[in-house]
């Protein structure tokens, strides 16, 4: 039984190696593969049949320039990376996740979390050294430490509690949370988590966190709100002391293309209209003027006093638009 188990394991390793070779190059001859694997061409043919049985489309072409070629299947097969490929891929994903460029940051982070699960310990130091030597400029968003992102991503994945220091007013407090999802906006990263001290869901800006650490205490996931919608509502509306709602006479898709997701929440309504929610710290005048400049008819839903403010601003605009009587210059005598 032990001999049979060893033979089976050896065959599995050889077939995986064969799959990796087929992913490296367009075409391999049976002799080339046999030399690489240390087997006979007949064994290569059997291993190719094993891959086909597993659903991998391995094509065989005869004649000059022919050989074995891995085709495109219906599903994405597992990619087999050597050490150098794994290091470069991880560093590239770290760069994409840390920058959160064009909405691809969350996808990069999901891929990085999968790679992190299987990345050998010997390669982690290489990844950290390379990622630490890469910088970027521009983007208009605060930089995020990739190690912090990975710590939080692992905590979300492994369902373990996390802790970090976070500013609250003029103080910094330690927060204990059950992390649920990392959410990337057009400018920064947020963590949606259940705050254990406040017994409620909260969103946190990752760039404001310090002393981030994952604990070993596991938790059972709770029923959670939809992560992206919850974070956007908090960033664009719920976080502000002053809030406003508008009914805009245009489709939600049209208005979303005009307003950044971090500035307002846009929800579709009937008859091709939409509701816009936004907020401000000190005055809703800016929000009101922003909605006006969208160029669509709209109604103020809330707060009622904003309608009075709209009339006052309209009178000022009308007054500013009155054309003054032309003045005539007296010619010099």
């Amino acid at each position: 039984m032990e001999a049979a188990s060893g033979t089976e394991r050896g065959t599995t390793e050889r077939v995986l190696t064969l799959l990796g070779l087929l992913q490296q190059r367009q075409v391999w001859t049976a002799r080339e593969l046999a030399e690489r694997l240390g087997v006979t061409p007949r064994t290569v043919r059997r291993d190719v049949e094993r891959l086909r049985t597993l659903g991998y489309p391995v094509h065989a072409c005869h004649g000059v320039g022919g050989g074995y070629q891995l085709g495109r299947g219906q599903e994405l097969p597992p990619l087999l990376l050597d050490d150098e490929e794994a290091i470069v891929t991880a560093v590239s994903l770290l760069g994409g996740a840390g920058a959160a460029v064009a909405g691809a940051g969350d996808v990069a982070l999901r891929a990085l979390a999968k790679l992190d699960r299987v990345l050998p310990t010997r390669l982690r130091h290489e990844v950290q050294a390379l990622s630490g030597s890469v910088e970027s400029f521009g983007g208009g968003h605060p930089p995020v430490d990739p190690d912090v992102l990975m710590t939080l991503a692992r905590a979300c994945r492994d369902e373990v509690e996390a802790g970090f220091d976070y500013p609250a007013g003029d103080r910094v407090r330690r927060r204990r949370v059950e992390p649920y999802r990392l959410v990337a906006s057009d400018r920064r990263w947020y963590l949606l988590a259940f705050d254990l001290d406040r017994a409620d869901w909260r969103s946190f800006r990752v760039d404001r966190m310090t002393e981030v650490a994952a604990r070993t205490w596991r938790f059972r996931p709770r029923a959670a709100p939809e992560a992206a919608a919850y974070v956007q509502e908090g960033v664009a509306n719920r976080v502000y002391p002053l809030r406003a709602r508008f009914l805009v006479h245009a489709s939600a898709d049209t208005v979303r293309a005009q307003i950044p997701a971090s500035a307002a929440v846009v929800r579709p309504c009937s008859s091709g209209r939409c509701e816009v929610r936004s907020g401000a710290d000190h005055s809703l005048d800016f929000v009101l003027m922003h909605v006006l400049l969208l160029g669509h008819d709209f109604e103020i839903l809330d707060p009622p006093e904003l309608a009075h403010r709209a009339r006052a601003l309209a009178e000022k605009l009308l007054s500013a638009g009155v054309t003054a009587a032309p003045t005539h210059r007296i010619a010099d005598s």
Side-chain angles (χ1 to χ4, degrees):
M1 291 294 291
E2 291 181 359
S5 177
T7 301
E8 181 178 350
R9 183 168 57 251
T11 301
T12 302
E13 293 174 354
R14 190 178 65 246
V15 171
L16 288 173
T17 302
L18 172 60
L19 178 59
L21 291 172
L22 291 172
Q23 291 175 349
Q24 288 180 12
R25 209 168 78 184
Q26 184 76 7
V27 178
W28 291 85
T29 66
R31 184 175 299 278
E32 289 173 331
L33 290 172
E35 291 176 355
R36 285 294 193 100
L37 297 172
V39 296
T40 64
R42 182 178 179 183
T43 300
V44 170
R45 288 194 293 271
R46 287 200 299 262
D47 289 345
V48 166
E49 287 303 320
R50 291 186 176 98
L51 286 176
R52 289 169 175 166
T53 301
L54 293 172
Y56 297 104
V58 182
H59 305 307
C61 303
H62 302 286
V64 179
Y68 292 107
Q69 179 180 7
L70 184 63
R72 299 184 182 275
Q74 298 297 320
E75 298 180 358
L76 181 68
L79 298 177
L80 303 179
L81 305 176
D82 60 28
D83 287 3
E84 291 183 354
E85 293 169 339
I87 291 171
V88 172
T89 301
V91 172
S92 300
L93 290 172
L94 279 169
V101 176
D106 54 344
V107 179
L109 191 60
R110 289 203 308 270
L112 185 58
K114 293 179 180 179
L115 183 59
D116 174 72
R117 183 190 292 272
V118 298
L119 195 66
T121 303
R122 69 177 187 278
L123 301 183
R124 294 181 186 275
H125 302 296
E126 299 279 353
V127 172
Q128 291 174 356
L130 278 175
S131 62
S133 64
V134 177
E135 296 184 4
S136 61
F137 63 91
H141 52 78
V144 176
D145 187 346
D147 288 339
V148 170
L149 279 177
M150 283 308 306
T151 298
L152 296 174
R154 293 189 197 105
C156 292
R157 180 194 67 194
D158 299 335
E159 298 174 354
V160 296
E161 292 181 10
F164 48 85
D165 293 342
Y166 200 78
D170 57 351
R171 300 180 59 186
V172 176
R173 300 178 183 272
R174 190 69 180 173
R175 311 298 284 266
R176 298 183 310 113
V177 301
E178 295 176 354
Y180 178 66
R181 287 288 188 276
L182 280 164
V183 178
S185 76
D186 54 348
R187 293 188 298 170
R188 51 178 62 96
W189 280 96
Y190 297 87
L191 173 70
L192 174 62
F194 188 84
D195 192 315
L196 294 171
D197 295 321
R198 290 158 179 77
D200 199 3
W201 291 96
R202 293 286 191 274
S203 59
F204 303 92
R205 272 178 53 175
V206 175
D207 62 287
R208 290 180 175 175
M209 297 179 181
T210 55
E211 303 298 324
V212 180
R215 306 176 63 189
T216 57
W217 187 266
R218 296 182 61 86
F219 63 86
R220 178 171 298 185
R222 308 166 187 264
E226 202 282 315
Y230 183 93
V231 171
Q232 187 200 8
E233 178 77 29
V235 171
N237 186 35
R238 193 172 50 244
V239 70
Y240 293 107
L242 302 177
R243 307 173 193 173
R245 295 190 303 123
F246 305 88
L247 181 64
V248 179
H249 295 208
S251 69
D253 290 340
T254 298
V255 175
R256 285 195 187 106
Q258 297 177 282
I259 304 179
S262 57
V265 177
V266 181
R267 294 180 175 175
C269 299
S270 59
S271 303
R273 299 178 298 179
C274 65
E275 180 181 318
V276 175
R277 296 185 178 186
S278 190
D281 288 317
H282 305 294
S283 173
L284 289 173
D285 285 3
F286 177 79
V287 177
L288 180 61
M289 295 306 296
H290 194 93
V291 175
L292 173 65
L293 293 174
L294 294 177
H296 311 297
D297 292 337
F298 68 94
E299 304 167 32
I300 297 173
L301 300 178
D302 193 58
E305 58 269 22
L306 189 57
H308 301 292
R309 184 60 183 160
R311 282 190 288 271
L313 289 174
E315 291 175 0
K316 287 186 177 181
L317 290 171
L318 286 172
S319 176
V322 174
T323 303
T327 58
H328 299 282
R329 297 181 60 185
I330 300 176
D332 295 332
S333 58

